[in-house]
Amino acid sequence: MGKITLSQVTKSFGDVQVIPPLDLEINDGEFVVFVGPSGCGKSTLLRLIAGLEDVTSGRIEIDGAEATELPPAKRRLAMVFQSYALYPHMSVRKNIAFPMKMANVPEDEQARRIESAAKALNLTDYLDRKPGQLSGGQRQRVAIGRAIVREPAAFLFDEPLSNLDAALRVGMRLEISELHERLATTMIYVTHDQVEAMTMADKIVVLRAGHIEQVGSPLDLYRAPRNLFVAGFIGSPKMNFIEGQTAAAHGAHTIGIRPEHIEVSATEGLWQGRVAVSEHLGSDSFFHVHDTGLADVITVRASGEIGFRHGDTIFMTPREDQLHRFGADGLRL
Amino acid sequence: MSTKASRAAARLMISPSVILLLGWMLIPLGLTLYFSFLRYNLLMPGDNPFVGLENYSYFLTDPGFTAAIWNTLALVLGVLVITIGGGIVLALLLDQPMWGQGIVRILVIAPFFVMPTVSALVWKNMFLNPVNGLFAHLFKALGLQPYDFLAQAPLLSIIGIVSWQWLPFATLILLTALQSLDSEQLEAAEMDGAKPLSRFWHIMLPHLARAITVVVLIQTIFLLSVFAEILVTTNGGPGYASTNLTYLIYVQSLLQYDVGMGSAGGVVAIILANIVAIFLMRMIGKNLEA
């Protein structure tokens, strides 16, 4: 129903190639997240799939059928935009009905689908309001409702949660995940927030400058990042990278160790440093350690009970089995 | 601005401008009202007796009055339809990316900078003149009889001239409105399967509604008082065929030196303008809210 295949797809704006040749397969029913820093081409890639941008070369197939030249409306994809892109002069009901009205769906069928979408998204009481009278989360749900009623082959989300406040974002994240479980439709989700990527995805596609750096399940990426970029991008706080002699001792150009894989102690350990900033979250504490002689700053994560303060001396021991080793070319050894 | 003292200070500080504006408007209005009740003709010096509504009854029963009312309405409506229709088309075209966009936009705005008298003269002598005008040459080149626009279709010609002047204004306002439309909305509509025409009808036009309202309101105010174009081209003629209310008042008061009659005409014009304004606000004013 919603298998999407990109083969050798490129995109140039003038002389600038933003997407170098790229291959990607998205299976039916998968929740795929494109993640990467801003300007990495993830939104462009989504718009290529949507048909809002023309590919410069290459092929896009949807369900095995050539879709490269198809106009957006014919691709049976529904998109949820970052700004929600609701039609401000139409009521919620009319917004949701719009794609069906354009497709000449019979009135009673329209009403039925609006009813069920509104029920699923808790919008029943708001159907006659205008988008301007809704809160951010409600607008987001209307945008999703407008996508659902088209019964598309796949949903495309373009940073849909970036305009919401933190609490709402967590809630909507759950709702979208639940929606995916219920509909079992392919979803492609673009975000720069790796927490969203980790929590929602079946498959994460990490992009940098249009290149796919790695494709895999969230835990694959966390446990075995293919290169330094993925290692640094996935995981929060970031992985620590250490070069020089310490790395050479492990037979690598760079070694990486995640903050949560370092044991801390006030009295003894492999590495020594001075705490510069400590962040206490209650459940966890993060310490930013300077003067280790290894890197500018080493971040460690410890349980919330451990309290170091600014200027304290701290001893750290990395867990050997959790060390990531990278060669001089940045690739995993 | 919420303490008593600051509000009092604010009132004190804006009072000079309010008083000035009030004086500016109320004194002429009061004098006009006062003159409209007097027999006050500059050709008949002497005392100016109070004559009640005599001026009004003469003005309203003037053979040109009914014609002037209809001409005024036809002029306003005609120009509004042409400028808004044409303005939307031009705005849509100018919004497309194209070579030389900046220059084209300036050219489109240019007619608005030409003063009404000059543009009317240019039109009268260079385009509409039945002997030397460009249109006359065009007609002759096609083997047709030259058409004397200002004599045969005076009101339509003036509507054309005034539309030419106001088209840039409408285009400019509508273009800026069009540019403020969120492109994601158009893309969403495209994804939703809307063809270009439905995108225009369902997304762009509702978005333009407020700008169109502004254009209608502002243009109506100015179009009710079109004068220079008529004076320069047709002098209100032939007969009363192109006399609007403003021009009729000019004829009554200045050509006949009748201050009382002119003032009465002015008051009638004020009342009519307000009736039009009330209708406009009723019909389209709600677009300006929210």
Side-chain angles (χ1 to χ4, degrees):
Chain A
M1 260 306 286
K3 184 176 153 69
I4 298 169
T5 312
L6 309 184
S7 36
Q8 292 297 305
V9 166
T10 69
K11 175 67 186 174
S12 305
F13 291 111
D15 295 334
V16 187
Q17 191 173 50
V18 290
I19 308 271
L22 176 146
D23 293 293
L24 182 65
E25 187 136 319
I26 293 162
N27 294 319
D28 182 29
E30 255 183 342
F31 197 121
V32 177
V33 174
F34 294 170
V35 68
S38 39
C40 71
K42 53 191 191 296
S43 285
T44 309
L45 191 58
L46 192 74
R47 292 166 61 83
L48 288 176
I49 295 173
L52 294 171
E53 303 275 358
D54 294 323
V55 298
T56 308
S57 69
R59 276 164 58 85
I60 297 175
E61 282 177 20
I62 299 173
D63 284 339
E66 168 86 34
T68 320
E69 300 293 326
L70 278 185
K74 294 267 167 63
R75 299 189 183 198
R76 299 189 303 116
L77 304 174
M79 185 148 165
V80 176
F81 290 83
Q82 185 173 5
S83 67
Y84 320 134
L86 300 179
Y87 311 128
H89 52 278
M90 298 184 198
S91 65
V92 169
R93 186 190 303 280
K94 285 192 174 149
N95 260 288
I96 298 179
F98 188 74
M100 297 189 280
K101 192 173 155 193
M102 289 299 115
N104 292 319
V105 174
E107 293 270 343
D108 48 337
E109 173 69 9
Q110 282 189 22
R112 193 188 61 72
R113 286 200 215 169
I114 292 170
E115 199 64 37
S116 72
K119 213 190 257 167
L121 294 163
N122 271 327
L123 286 170
T124 313
D125 296 339
Y126 306 106
L127 278 178
D128 294 313
R129 299 219 192 150
K130 293 271 175 68
Q133 297 164 305
L134 301 179
S135 70
Q138 288 164 341
R139 287 183 209 181
Q140 182 66 73
R141 287 209 289 272
V142 176
I144 294 174
R146 195 172 63 185
I148 290 178
V149 293
R150 296 183 54 198
E151 299 176 351
F155 290 95
L156 313 178
F157 293 91
D158 188 5
E159 307 210 16
L161 305 186
S162 54
N163 288 339
L164 301 179
D165 63 56
L168 213 49
R169 206 176 298 173
V170 174
M172 283 309 295
R173 210 163 74 196
L174 284 175
E175 281 189 38
I176 294 176
S177 294
E178 270 169 31
L179 190 72
H180 179 242
E181 296 298 329
R182 201 167 59 234
L183 299 175
T185 312
T186 311
M187 292 190 178
I188 306 176
Y189 188 104
V190 163
T191 181
H192 59 262
D193 178 356
Q194 55 99 15
V195 176
E196 278 175 28
M198 292 296 283
T199 51
M200 300 169 87
D202 294 325
K203 184 157 99 181
I204 296 182
V205 178
V206 183
L207 289 156
R208 178 172 59 164
H211 284 284
I212 295 181
E213 295 287 334
Q214 189 168 5
V215 180
S217 76
L219 287 181
D220 283 347
L221 264 57
Y222 178 79
R223 288 184 183 138
R226 208 168 64 85
N227 57 29
L228 279 173
F229 178 76
V230 178
F233 196 78
I234 300 288
S236 172
K238 276 179 64 165
M239 187 187 277
N240 298 297
F241 294 117
I242 297 161
E243 294 178 359
Q245 280 192 340
T246 318
H250 289 88
H253 180 266
T254 309
I255 54 169
I257 181 79
R258 295 196 183 276
E260 53 269 42
H261 297 143
I262 298 177
E263 315 276 351
V264 298
S265 159
T267 50
E268 55 177 358
L270 191 59
W271 301 333
Q272 186 190 351
R274 189 176 49 77
V275 174
V277 176
S278 49
E279 298 171 314
H280 299 283
L281 305 183
S283 58
D284 304 293
S285 299
F286 299 125
F287 303 111
H288 300 268
V289 183
H290 285 192
D291 301 334
T292 54
L294 305 162
D296 285 348
V297 57
I298 297 279
T299 312
V300 294
R301 173 178 171 183
S303 91
E305 283 84 55
I306 297 176
F308 286 97
R309 310 184 50 178
H310 176 78
D312 288 355
T313 303
I314 186 172
F315 292 92
M316 300 166 291
T317 312
R319 284 167 53 184
E320 290 291 331
D321 57 333
Q322 297 289 356
L323 273 181
H324 302 270
R325 301 186 308 131
F326 299 97
D329 53 359
L331 288 178
R332 184 183 191 78
L333 292 175
Chain B
M1 294 289 271
S2 53
T3 66
K4 254 181 193 168
S6 68
R7 259 176 288 166
R11 282 203 198 105
L12 189 70
M13 286 182 203
I14 59 168
S15 55
S17 51
V18 171
I19 290 167
L20 187 71
L21 271 176
L22 272 179
W24 209 294
M25 290 191 299
L26 285 183
I27 293 170
L29 183 67
L31 276 177
T32 308
L33 270 174
Y34 170 64
F35 288 149
S36 71
F37 294 116
L38 300 182
R39 180 176 297 145
Y40 187 178
N41 193 318
L42 297 177
L43 295 178
M44 292 181 279
D47 54 344
N48 302 319
F50 182 82
V51 290
L53 294 173
E54 191 189 87
N55 285 323
Y56 289 93
S57 75
Y58 278 130
F59 187 80
L60 294 176
T61 53
D62 187 280
F65 179 73
T66 335
I69 293 282
W70 289 119
N71 287 341
T72 308
L73 289 178
L75 184 61
V76 171
L77 283 179
V79 176
L80 280 179
V81 168
I82 294 173
T83 51
I84 287 169
I88 289 174
V89 172
L90 276 178
L92 284 172
L93 289 175
L94 289 175
D95 200 29
Q96 309 295 322
M98 60 177 171
W99 189 80
Q101 205 164 30
I103 291 175
V104 172
R105 282 186 188 169
I106 290 172
L107 284 179
V108 169
I109 309 304
F112 204 48
F113 296 125
V114 182
M115 57 187 98
T117 331
V118 174
S119 80
L121 271 177
V122 168
W123 272 89
K124 179 187 182 184
N125 294 328
M126 292 186 65
F127 290 103
L128 303 178
N129 189 297
V131 179
N132 298 316
L134 279 181
F135 287 134
H137 284 295
L138 182 72
F139 275 60
K140 273 184 264 184
L142 295 171
L144 298 170
Q145 189 73 25
Y147 188 72
D148 190 355
F149 288 93
L150 289 174
Q152 306 291 327
L155 192 61
L156 277 180
S157 305
I158 287 169
I159 288 176
I161 295 170
V162 178
S163 298
W164 180 81
Q165 278 171 9
W166 282 93
L167 191 57
F169 173 77
T171 307
L172 196 64
I173 302 273
L174 295 171
L175 178 63
T176 42
L178 210 54
Q179 284 169 339
S180 74
L181 177 58
D182 179 12
S183 65
E184 285 198 343
Q185 270 183 41
L186 287 176
E187 287 176 344
E190 200 180 342
M191 295 282 302
D192 284 345
K195 301 262 179 327
L197 210 60
S198 345
R199 285 208 290 279
F200 171 73
W201 185 255
H202 292 289
I203 312 294
M204 286 179 173
L205 209 54
H207 177 78
L208 289 180
R210 192 179 293 193
I212 291 175
T213 312
V214 170
V215 172
V216 168
L217 288 176
I218 293 180
Q219 286 201 13
T220 306
I221 293 168
F222 284 94
L223 294 177
L224 280 171
S225 58
V226 165
F227 174 73
E229 293 84 345
I230 298 174
L231 181 75
V232 169
T233 53
T234 62
N235 268 316
Y240 289 109
S242 59
T243 298
N244 69 353
L245 209 51
T246 322
Y247 195 82
L248 187 69
I249 293 167
Y250 160 77
V251 171
Q252 298 287 359
S253 57
L254 280 160
L255 294 188
Q256 298 172 16
Y257 300 94
D258 192 339
V259 178
M261 186 87 131
S263 301
V267 173
V268 170
I270 292 168
I271 292 167
L272 283 176
N274 276 291
I275 291 172
V276 171
I278 288 167
F279 268 109
L280 275 179
M281 294 309 272
R282 276 277 166 81
M283 280 192 294
I284 58 179
K286 64 178 188 294
N287 276 342
L288 291 178
E289 289 159 17

